[in-house]
Amino acid sequence: MQGSSSGTGGGPLVSSHYTLSEYVGPQIWTQLTRTAAVDAADRLFVTDGQTVFVVEDGVPSIYLSPADLQPANADAGIISMDVGPDDRLYILDRGVPAQILVSRGPHDVSILHGDLSAARTFPALLAVESPDRIFVVSHYDGLFEVTPNGIDLLYGESAIDASGCAAEDLAVSQDGRLFYLPGCNGSPLLSGLTDGSGVGILKHEDALDEYYFWMFGGIARNPPGGVMVNLVGTIYHIGTDGTATELNTTPTLNDVTADWIDFHARPIEVGPTGNVYVISTETIYRAVPD
């Protein structure tokens, strides 16, 4: 299904057409990891796992260097990022123990939660509902909420299948809804409420009639509502009711690269302008609404 989809007071959820092009290539990085974030100024944050880069108007620069991160952790490893409603950058650091860092600006970073050992085995994904409520997915344990009062299990592994597959991803909207992608071949997009009242299947990949080998590769909070998903060769908007709208882009993701695997298990982000970013291993592509 193509075309626009109406919002509820915040304008359309998607535009009728997008122009897709290469936004920035590997100018100051060699390889990007599977996490990204975007702020209220439409600045995109990406990382190679040791350095946080910011891309503004197509120009990349270093936002947090390894030296900036060293006071927080001498062996910092960036595994997940999100921008909160306070427009600060939050980082999940895989140190021992894992911890949550917060950055208020370039070369400024501090420890917000210094010990996530209560989140059990392998903290892997982070999403921010508010500065005082952050969600962390821990492989083989489930989804935890981190607040000033401590760390509590919100949904167990059996509810969200947090088994650490290649395209696992997490997004949270500030209206109390979470979206989770188990990331395994054939796994659906899950959605639920952040109050712990339940989570379930929002959309099966095979319901979209795409090539059988493709899979959901990444999800992103869509500011007007719902989420954007990267389905390897296609971008879809999925509404909170499961309605799917394929983004009409020129060219398509399939046309901008000779190898569709470039978008396998890769992150996607949506800025406040409606710009959609798809981050491959080396290159960032941007779809701009007409």
Side-chain angles (χ1 to χ4, degrees):
M1 180 171 67
Q2 293 185 338
S4 63
S5 177
S6 296
T8 55
L13 298 178
V14 299
S15 294
S16 58
H17 182 265
Y18 295 76
T19 299
L20 179 69
S21 62
E22 181 177 317
Y23 185 47
V24 60
Q27 299 180 26
I28 59 174
W29 56 71
T30 55
Q31 191 172 40
L32 299 174
T33 62
R34 285 196 62 257
T35 188
V38 63
D39 71 4
D42 219 43
R43 296 186 304 171
L44 182 70
F45 299 93
V46 293
T47 181
D48 61 3
Q50 303 299 319
T51 299
V52 176
F53 307 96
V54 62
V55 183
E56 187 171 7
D57 296 327
V59 179
S61 61
I62 293 176
Y63 191 78
L64 295 173
S65 69
D68 296 326
L69 292 163
Q70 267 198 341
N73 186 347
D75 190 28
I78 302 162
I79 54 176
S80 187
M81 300 188 298
D82 193 17
V83 169
D86 57 355
D87 214 33
R88 294 175 178 175
L89 180 66
Y90 292 79
I91 297 168
L92 180 59
D93 168 29
R94 69 181 176 203
V96 181
Q99 56 188 359
I100 296 173
L101 311 178
V102 61
S103 174
R104 295 165 177 80
H107 309 292
D108 180 333
V109 65
S110 59
I111 298 172
L112 184 65
H113 294 281
D115 186 350
L116 297 182
S117 57
R120 315 270 169 76
T121 49
F122 303 105
L125 295 169
L126 167 146
V128 181
E129 184 178 83
S130 74
D132 291 331
R133 197 159 190 245
I134 299 172
F135 299 94
V136 172
V137 169
S138 183
H139 289 164
Y140 313 113
D141 288 301
L143 186 140
F144 294 80
E145 58 175 338
V146 183
T147 70
N149 295 324
I151 302 173
D152 296 296
L153 182 66
L154 186 68
Y155 291 112
E157 196 276 337
S158 61
I160 66 169
D161 189 22
S163 53
C165 290
E168 188 183 24
D169 208 353
L170 175 68
V172 171
S173 59
Q174 273 72 59
D175 61 356
R177 183 172 291 271
L178 66 89
F179 302 87
Y180 175 68
L181 188 65
C184 306
N185 287 330
S187 65
L189 173 63
L190 305 180
S191 182
L193 299 178
T194 62
D195 62 6
S197 61
V199 64
I201 293 172
L202 181 63
K203 199 71 177 180
H204 281 285
E205 175 271 332
D206 56 9
L208 299 175
D209 296 324
E210 293 280 1
Y211 178 48
Y212 77 96
F213 191 69
W214 287 354
M215 59 189 289
F216 291 130
I219 55 176
R221 178 176 58 244
N222 186 49
V227 287
M228 294 291 186
V229 297
N230 162 26
L231 193 62
V232 181
T234 315
I235 304 170
Y236 277 89
H237 173 268
I238 309 294
T240 55
D241 61 354
T243 301
T245 303
E246 180 182 344
L247 267 63
N248 180 15
T249 70
T250 304
T252 67
L253 282 181
N254 286 330
D255 293 333
V256 297
T257 177
D259 190 355
W260 63 266
I261 201 69
D262 286 346
F263 300 114
H264 170 72
R266 300 304 304 174
I268 182 171
E269 293 294 334
V270 186
T273 59
N275 292 338
V276 181
Y277 302 91
V278 184
I279 297 93
S280 73
T281 305
E282 296 179 345
T283 303
I284 300 167
Y285 297 86
R286 183 177 67 168
V288 178
D290 294 346

